Amino acid sequence: MRQAPDPDRGVRSRDAILDTATELMSVHGYAATSISMVSAACSLPASSIYWHFGSKDGVYVAVLERARMSLLSALPPVTVPGADIGQRLDNFLQAVGDAFQRHPRDVKLLIALGMLQRTASAAALAELHRYRDALLAWARDSLTSVFRLHDRPEVSGQLARFALRAASGTAVARWFDPASTLDTDALRVALLALAAHHGVPLGASASEPAHGRQSSG
Amino acid sequence: MRQAPDPDRGVRSRDAILDTATELMSVHGYAATSISMVSAACSLPASSIYWHFGSKDGVYVAVLERARMSLLSALPPVTVPGADIGQRLDNFLQAVGDAFQRHPRDVKLLIALGMLQRTASAAALAELHRYRDALLAWARDSLTSVFRLHDRPEVSGQLARFALRAASGTAVARWFDPASTLDTDALRVALLALAAHHGVPLGASASEPAHGRQSSG
DNA sequence: GTCTATAACCAGATAGAC
DNA sequence: GTCTATCTGGTTATAGAC
């Protein structure tokens, strides 16, 4: 039996390059990751990488784009289920904590590669901001649903920024202490207090979580 | 009159190199900052840089060490003044916000260069962790003083981590949107709520800040 | 301590056979 | 689409005059 010509070798190679580049760039950062490192790690010649992506910047844009789609598709829809604020907030925090825990490289990429700024191409910068904006929008819409803030966009905006910064700060903490996890309990208390501070009606059950998930780091 | 031999030329050159390297590394990161860039920007030959610091890694360690000392010396002593929790918390938050606003490069360096991990030398990693540990210890001691937590070290530890992560997250937000500032009002509400959540007695005046300092981004 | 000059190397990127 | 081979330029780092 003859060996099949394997018409998918191209896409599999492309994926392998992206996998390797994602791994290396999330560890070493963009500048410290060379094409030769990627080439050696995925056992494909450098010229194949250039054939698929055109340039190192092209690799970077593709890596970012895939990371954004991967992380966003792991986040549940913005209409958070739950009978009351307490339940919906728990669901939201669990979704954030799970995505954060299970996609460490995606989060780290967003932050680490965000440093490029002037160095990066216009396409790279655009992709980076698309990534950030999508996360912020998801958080804002979700928190609007959690706290029923449809008529208070400035409040949901502040809560979303606060949550995103807590998550970013935890990602930073994690590369000093890899055991760090998102402190969802503290974030729960803080978001409830912030909502109350802005006069958002909370109801009675909100102040007690369904079940404790303590974390440290 | 003969020109003075200027015995301080060495230290002034050393400082100029460190200034330039700090600026460039906080913008481009370690890997993307080359010795030739530093040499050109400070108008000293590359060999002078090697004479002073021995290697690029040596420059990096010296930059980090100076940033740590600079940022820590800008932070007030850990015994926070104030008659009640509300006043002391305001003083603490103002100190954090001021240092954060006035030393943007120092903060960014800590975070950005923290990515190095495997790439960096042992000396660099040690200096980096010394930096982080000092900040965390300062926050813990200050919050112990603010909330009188001398017998609740686990609570002050959690509050300090929470505050440090909020600050780190804001530093990240700032390289997407440079106008971002530390949201001290939100952090105030969150810290008070976290303290209350752990049963720390707060008194009546704590829930109202002395004066609003709203920030956005 | 500072300078010029340069060694040794590795980066990003391309040409062209297959 | 993948390979070998290579070009060009920048990188870290050093040698040695001053």
Side-chain angles (χ1 to χ4, degrees):
Chain A
M1 216 187 290
R2 180 97 57 84
Q3 190 78 14
D6 190 2
D8 287 345
R9 193 158 66 128
V11 299
R12 284 196 290 102
S13 290
R14 201 190 127 100
D15 282 351
I17 294 168
L18 277 184
D19 288 343
T20 311
T22 300
E23 176 66 27
L24 290 176
M25 287 186 180
S26 71
V27 172
H28 302 290
Y30 173 80
T33 302
S34 70
I35 295 291
S36 8
M37 283 168 65
V38 178
S39 164
C42 71
S43 302
L44 282 170
S47 52
S48 283
I49 301 179
Y50 283 98
W51 189 90
H52 280 286
F53 301 101
S55 67
K56 186 182 175 183
D57 191 88
V59 176
Y60 163 55
V61 172
V63 161
L64 262 191
E65 183 177 14
R66 213 185 53 161
R68 170 171 59 90
M69 309 229 283
S70 151
L71 184 55
L72 286 179
S73 76
L75 293 173
V78 293
T79 305
V80 181
D84 57 21
I85 286 184
Q87 281 183 26
R88 291 195 296 271
L89 184 54
D90 283 337
N91 287 334
F92 168 74
L93 288 172
Q94 185 169 6
V96 173
D98 283 0
F100 189 83
Q101 203 64 27
R102 285 152 74 168
H103 296 259
R105 284 172 312 171
D106 294 348
V107 175
K108 196 171 170 185
L109 271 176
L110 173 61
I111 295 173
L113 302 184
M115 273 210 57
L116 291 175
Q117 302 281 37
R118 312 186 181 278
T119 315
S121 70
L125 272 188
E127 182 58 41
L128 202 56
H129 279 79
R130 207 173 303 142
Y131 196 169
R132 220 271 297 219
D133 292 347
L135 279 184
L136 201 53
W138 178 84
R140 189 180 1 88
D141 292 347
S142 297
L143 286 165
T144 296
S145 168
V146 166
F147 288 104
R148 303 291 190 239
L149 293 170
H150 306 279
D151 52 350
R152 306 279 312 267
E154 80 286 358
V155 176
S156 60
Q158 195 201 25
L159 294 184
R161 276 197 308 273
F162 193 86
L164 189 63
R165 290 181 186 186
S168 303
T170 303
V172 170
R174 194 153 57 180
W175 65 63
F176 287 94
D177 174 10
S180 301
T181 56
L182 189 65
D183 191 344
T184 47
D185 287 346
L187 192 52
R188 185 184 208 277
V189 171
L191 289 176
L192 282 172
L194 275 174
H197 180 70
H198 287 291
V200 176
L202 296 181
S205 70
S207 55
E208 290 181 8
H211 46 283
R213 270 184 307 277
Q214 182 58 32
S215 54
S216 72
Chain B
M1 211 188 293
R2 179 96 59 86
Q3 189 79 12
D6 190 2
D8 286 344
R9 193 158 65 128
V11 300
R12 283 196 292 101
S13 290
R14 201 191 125 99
D15 282 351
I17 294 167
L18 277 185
D19 287 344
T20 312
T22 300
E23 175 66 27
L24 290 175
M25 286 186 180
S26 72
V27 172
H28 303 289
Y30 173 81
T33 303
S34 70
I35 295 291
S36 13
M37 285 167 63
V38 178
S39 164
C42 71
S43 302
L44 283 171
S47 53
S48 283
I49 301 179
Y50 282 99
W51 188 90
H52 281 287
F53 301 101
S55 66
K56 186 181 173 182
D57 192 88
V59 176
Y60 163 55
V61 172
V63 162
L64 261 191
E65 183 177 15
R66 212 184 54 160
R68 170 171 59 91
M69 310 229 283
S70 152
L71 184 55
L72 287 178
S73 76
L75 293 174
V78 293
T79 305
V80 180
D84 57 21
I85 286 184
Q87 283 182 26
R88 291 194 296 271
L89 184 54
D90 282 337
N91 287 333
F92 168 74
L93 288 173
Q94 186 169 6
V96 173
D98 283 1
F100 189 83
Q101 202 65 27
R102 284 152 75 169
H103 295 259
R105 283 171 312 171
D106 295 348
V107 176
K108 195 171 170 185
L109 271 175
L110 173 61
I111 295 175
L113 302 185
M115 273 211 57
L116 289 176
Q117 300 284 35
R118 312 186 181 277
T119 316
S121 70
L125 271 188
E127 182 59 39
L128 202 57
H129 278 78
R130 206 174 302 140
Y131 197 170
R132 220 274 296 222
D133 292 347
L135 278 184
L136 201 52
W138 178 84
R140 189 180 359 89
D141 292 347
S142 297
L143 286 166
T144 296
S145 168
V146 166
F147 288 104
R148 303 292 189 237
L149 293 170
H150 306 279
D151 53 349
R152 305 279 311 268
E154 81 287 358
V155 175
S156 60
Q158 195 202 25
L159 294 183
R161 275 196 308 274
F162 193 86
L164 188 64
R165 291 181 185 185
S168 303
T170 303
V172 170
R174 194 154 56 181
W175 66 63
F176 287 94
D177 174 11
S180 301
T181 58
L182 189 66
D183 190 345
T184 48
D185 287 347
L187 192 51
R188 185 184 208 278
V189 171
L191 289 175
L192 282 172
L194 275 174
H197 180 68
H198 287 291
V200 177
L202 296 181
S205 71
S207 55
E208 290 182 8
H211 46 284
R213 271 185 306 277
Q214 181 57 32
S215 53
S216 71

